[in-house]
Amino acid sequence: MALKELEVKYAAIRSRAYKLTDGGGLHLLVQPNGSKLWRMKYRFAGKEKLLSFGKYPDVPLAAARTKRDEARACLAEGRDPGVVLAEEQDVAERTFEKVARAWHANRVEGLNAAHARRVISRMESDVFPAIGHRPLTEISVTEILAMIRKIEARGALDISRRANQCVSQVYRFAIANGWARENPTVHLLGALKPRPRVKHMARVPLQEVPDLVRAIASYDGEDGSRRRDRTRDAMMFTLLTWARTGEVRFAVWGEIENLDGKQPAWRVPAERMKKKREHLVPLSSQAVLILKRRMELTKVKPGGFIFPGDREETAMSENTMLYGCYRMGYRSRQTIHGFRALASTWANESQSYRSDWIELALAHVEDDTVRAAYNSAQHFAQRAGMLQDWGDYVDACGSPEKDCATSSGVDRNDISDVHERRLGGVDRRGNLRLVQQSVETGDNIIKFPGRSRCGEN
């Protein structure tokens, strides 16, 4: 006989557990401690099995009967309801956060450590609070879009796109493991706000590089010769090495290698690089000369700054070089970071250097598994030749008697000729007078030799 709600509600507590049968295998197990548990006996493949539907009153009589009917329907279809119920429970427990952490753990060893931390931090900050608790297969497109819109609302459009990419990758990982059937992010194509236009750092045209170089060479925009020397040398060194401002500001003598040898280099540690990978910078003869000049003007010790601040033990201020550009009259026209764009344009327009040499010289290395085998010394000889050509070009542009630029800002024939001469085994070093001290006036200035044309000894 079927149970009634009141029978279930007021079932007496006994010293031993007993059952109240409802029919179709469903019964209520009443425990001596007063708990009441729904159970269902059934047979599958010749074996007797038991299902648990939960605790009364959390699961009322009507709900227990519904679960029983669903189980019997599975049996009628030839499926084991116990297996089906376990799968449903797994799905309910397989939340987005749980799967996302499994996805991250699966790939973390192939990622740069800093990048791996940024990825999971982005998920913890923006994604998990919105959909992390939800079962993976129950999350709708609108829920994901709502999460993205919150990020967009604070103006973080790049982060919103990265968050969407991470969610998509989690679903692809889940599909591959059989935990999901579709990726809802594919329906967001066209729904996200477009990326803002990239604002490139200001830089002058290549045709104006000679004026810029001469302005740096004659820089006198600060009180005190020590400050002027440091700022001028730092700007010129940054221009010659294609380095970022922060990399130059915190450069220490212990990072300089083989200064008097055939392959002088500056080894920038990973922690100071944007991509968190060590960067090996070949030093042109002009850059070497600046470093030797700095050795005469600063206290040289392994941990000492090459371009110190007002005190030897502190780094140069963040805006020192930028303000130097302002004092030279280049406000809104040229930034220190824009030096990199000048060098990149020069190298690309010369058509003498491979793009991967240029990208490596700029430390443009992508964060993906394809780049996992990145080697800081890769193409060192080729990059050294390219930076020496650049140093010679800058050296020649510093002469007030020369016109180093064609209509494109580069004398293509001259640069190609230099490149070919180096490949032919001729080491072209310039005349090494990029940095000198004027004995007659007592002023420390950067001087350039007179030449008949750009790039000619």
Side-chain angles (χ1 to χ4, degrees):
M1 180 181 292
L3 290 171
K4 295 180 181 179
E5 186 68 34
L6 291 178
E7 290 181 86
V8 175
K9 184 176 182 179
Y10 295 109
I13 299 175
R14 299 177 185 175
S15 59
R16 292 185 179 182
Y18 69 97
K19 302 174 184 177
L20 294 176
T21 304
D22 184 63
L26 180 66
H27 63 266
L28 183 73
L29 179 65
V30 183
Q31 300 277 32
N33 62 2
S35 64
K36 302 170 184 179
L37 308 174
W38 291 111
R39 299 284 190 265
M40 176 184 168
K41 277 188 177 182
Y42 70 100
R43 295 187 70 84
F44 186 82
K47 296 182 180 180
E48 185 176 278
K49 297 188 176 184
L50 187 68
L51 285 177
S52 297
F53 292 152
K55 186 178 181 180
Y56 179 88
D58 295 340
V59 179
L61 176 60
R65 286 172 174 166
T66 299
K67 290 178 180 291
R68 175 200 61 194
D69 294 342
E70 291 173 351
R72 290 174 65 84
C74 286
L75 288 169
E77 295 171 358
R79 296 186 297 156
D80 185 345
V83 174
V84 174
L85 183 61
E87 291 175 350
E88 291 176 351
Q89 289 176 341
D90 285 344
V91 169
E93 294 173 0
R94 194 176 292 123
T95 62
F96 181 86
E97 180 173 352
K98 185 176 181 179
V99 175
R101 292 191 181 279
W103 160 76
H104 189 262
N106 183 65
R107 63 198 291 266
V108 68
E109 291 185 2
L111 298 177
N112 172 273
H115 177 61
R117 287 193 297 271
R118 286 195 298 271
V119 170
I120 197 64
S121 177
R122 188 183 305 131
M123 300 286 275
E124 291 171 343
S125 299
D126 295 310
V127 181
F128 293 164
I131 61 175
H133 64 287
R134 299 275 287 122
L136 183 76
T137 57
E138 295 181 12
I139 298 174
S140 65
V141 179
T142 53
E143 287 179 273
I144 298 174
L145 183 59
M147 178 266 294
I148 297 294
R149 290 287 187 246
K150 286 184 179 179
I151 304 174
E152 291 177 340
R154 65 175 193 257
L157 300 185
D158 184 63
I159 293 177
S160 69
R161 287 185 170 273
R162 291 179 184 272
N164 183 60
Q165 290 170 0
C166 287
V167 172
S168 179
Q169 290 176 26
V170 170
Y171 271 100
R172 291 204 299 269
F173 174 75
I175 292 170
N177 283 278
W179 301 334
R181 294 184 177 180
E182 65 173 20
N183 182 353
T185 62
V186 300
H187 303 294
L188 291 176
L189 185 63
L192 276 61
K193 288 185 178 180
R195 281 195 187 98
R197 294 185 62 181
V198 176
K199 184 179 180 180
H200 295 287
M201 294 295 182
R203 64 178 179 87
V204 297
L206 278 179
Q207 293 91 329
E208 297 182 23
V209 169
D211 292 336
L212 173 64
V213 172
R214 287 192 284 268
I216 296 174
S218 59
Y219 176 75
D220 62 353
E222 293 174 73
D223 294 332
S225 61
R226 180 180 177 277
R227 288 183 176 180
R228 287 196 300 270
D229 295 344
R230 175 209 56 197
T231 304
R232 180 181 56 244
D233 289 349
M235 286 192 290
M236 189 64 75
F237 187 77
T238 305
L239 180 65
L240 290 168
T241 57
W242 305 12
R244 297 180 177 89
T245 303
E247 294 156 16
V248 173
R249 286 179 55 224
F250 294 100
V252 296
W253 288 110
E255 297 167 1
I256 304 301
E257 302 176 358
N258 203 25
L259 191 61
D260 293 314
K262 293 183 178 180
Q263 292 185 329
W266 170 29
R267 192 178 297 273
V268 188
E271 59 268 20
R272 217 164 66 245
M273 295 299 299
K274 182 178 180 180
K275 296 292 186 179
K276 303 304 178 185
R277 290 186 175 97
E278 180 185 82
H279 184 45
L280 191 62
V281 183
L283 296 174
S284 65
S285 57
Q286 291 82 6
V288 167
L289 198 58
I290 287 179
L291 291 177
K292 289 185 176 180
R293 167 187 164 84
R294 297 309 304 165
M295 292 176 74
E296 297 175 0
L297 300 174
T298 62
K299 296 179 181 179
V300 180
K301 52 185 178 181
F305 293 111
I306 298 173
F307 305 101
D310 291 338
R311 293 179 298 177
E312 290 285 341
E313 66 273 14
T314 61
M316 182 172 54
S317 172
E318 180 179 3
N319 291 316
T320 296
M321 289 190 283
L322 181 61
Y323 288 164
C325 270
Y326 292 170
R327 294 186 185 100
M328 293 187 303
Y330 283 91
R331 181 187 289 271
S332 76
R333 296 178 56 219
Q334 178 69 56
T335 63
I336 300 300
H337 194 81
F339 287 175
R340 291 162 54 80
L342 283 176
S344 175
T345 301
W346 168 86
N348 280 292
E349 288 195 6
S350 74
Q351 299 180 357
S352 297
Y353 313 105
R354 282 171 35 180
S355 60
D356 53 338
W357 301 354
I358 299 170
E359 293 303 294
L360 281 168
L362 292 166
H364 285 169
V365 183
E366 299 175 9
D367 285 320
D368 57 25
T369 54
V370 176
R371 301 286 187 173
Y374 170 75
N375 179 355
S376 63
Q378 190 173 13
H379 297 306
F380 182 86
Q382 293 88 343
R383 289 188 286 127
M386 180 173 64
L387 286 176
Q388 184 59 56
D389 288 348
W390 170 249
D392 293 340
Y393 170 75
V394 170
D395 201 342
C397 285
S399 173
E401 304 170 6
K402 306 294 176 290
D403 178 10
C404 294
T406 63
S407 60
S408 65
V410 182
D411 188 333
R412 295 176 186 271
N413 293 329
D414 180 65
I415 293 171
S416 298
D417 186 47
V418 169
H419 180 62
E420 290 172 5
R421 289 204 302 273
R422 174 169 285 104
L423 292 179
V426 178
D427 184 19
R428 182 172 178 277
R429 288 284 181 178
N431 70 7
L432 301 185
R433 286 191 286 159
L434 178 69
V435 183
Q436 296 180 343
Q437 183 170 359
S438 173
V439 179
E440 292 80 12
T441 63
D443 293 332
N444 290 324
I445 61 174
I446 295 181
K447 288 187 174 181
F448 297 87
R451 295 181 181 173
S452 59
R453 68 182 179 93
C454 176
E456 180 178 319
N457 282 325

